[in-house]
Amino acid sequence: MNDCEERDEVLMNDLYTINSKPIILRPWTEGFDFNEEVLKTIPLLVKFPKLPLNYWSNHVLSKIGSGLGKPLYADACTTLADRVSYARVLIEMDITRIIPGSIKLYDPKGKVIEQMIQYDRKPQFHQTCCQIGHSCRDQKKQNQEGRQQRVLE
């Protein structure tokens, strides 16, 4: 990449995948250590099904997203209102916390709306080993099965 602007465009432009699994791109920082880095915040595609159309502006979607994490951007169908069954926003969320299934929204008249939330993928985060994408229980079960198989051989 030639400059920071080009880097930022790559980082913020799209969700990248390898073998249909999302990858997370982050800018390199001085002193980065792979052994010390615990990935706690990751971008998640968040859907707001049946979101009232008066909440579809970038400003309002950003406010809603701020209740969940750091909103990065709305997808093209949401921005252009090409699909009105749900709005979708990419939000950087702290996965060490409980990932909510709904959020309360307040309209200008003070009415409370319970907005459902759906996730394209909801990653597992295990508190004990501080890793994403597996359950230590599953890992223990595999280790026990492996030991039992070795004993039988």
Side-chain angles (χ1 to χ4, degrees), residues 29 41 52 58 60 68 71 110 118 130 132-133 136 148:
T29 57
T41 59
N58 283 333
V60 174
L68 300 170
Q118 297 174 341
C130 295
I132 298 172
C136 286
Q148 286 175 353

Side-chain angles (χ1 to χ4, degrees), residues 106-112:
Y106 298 89
D107 73 4
K109 296 178 183 177
K111 181 181 173 190
V112 179

Side-chain angles (χ1 to χ4, degrees), residues 33-148:
D33 183 358
F34 282 104
N35 297 321
E36 296 292 321
E37 180 72 10
V38 175
L39 198 57
K40 294 179 182 177
T41 59
I42 63 171
L44 296 176
L45 280 169
V46 178
K47 290 181 186 176
F48 301 107
K50 300 179 183 175
L51 183 70
L53 287 175
N54 57 326
Y55 289 86
W56 281 55
S57 73
N58 283 333
H59 178 72
V60 174
L61 287 170
S62 179
K63 280 189 167 189
I64 295 169
S66 294
L68 300 170
K70 178 184 173 187
L72 301 176
Y73 64 87
D75 72 353
C77 289
T78 300
T79 303
L80 301 171
D82 283 343
R83 170 199 61 237
V84 293
S85 56
Y86 63 87
R88 186 164 61 183
V89 180
L90 185 66
I91 302 173
E92 192 171 81
M93 296 178 64
D94 183 349
I95 59 161
T96 63
R97 297 181 178 170
I98 295 172
I99 298 175
S102 66
I103 189 170
K104 290 183 180 180
L105 306 178
Y106 298 89
D107 73 4
K109 296 178 183 177
K111 181 181 173 190
V112 179
I113 298 170
E114 186 81 18
Q115 176 61 51
M116 295 301 297
I117 301 171
Q118 297 174 341
Y119 302 89
D120 282 8
R121 62 177 180 80
K122 201 171 183 178
Q124 291 179 325
F125 181 82
H126 198 268
Q127 296 290 340
T128 304
C129 60
C130 295
Q131 288 193 5
I132 298 172
H134 80 282
S135 168
C136 286
R137 274 185 263 137
D138 294 342
Q139 199 168 0
K140 285 179 186 177
K141 185 178 176 183
Q142 287 175 352
N143 289 342
Q144 287 173 349
E145 288 172 358
R147 277 189 232 121
Q148 286 175 353

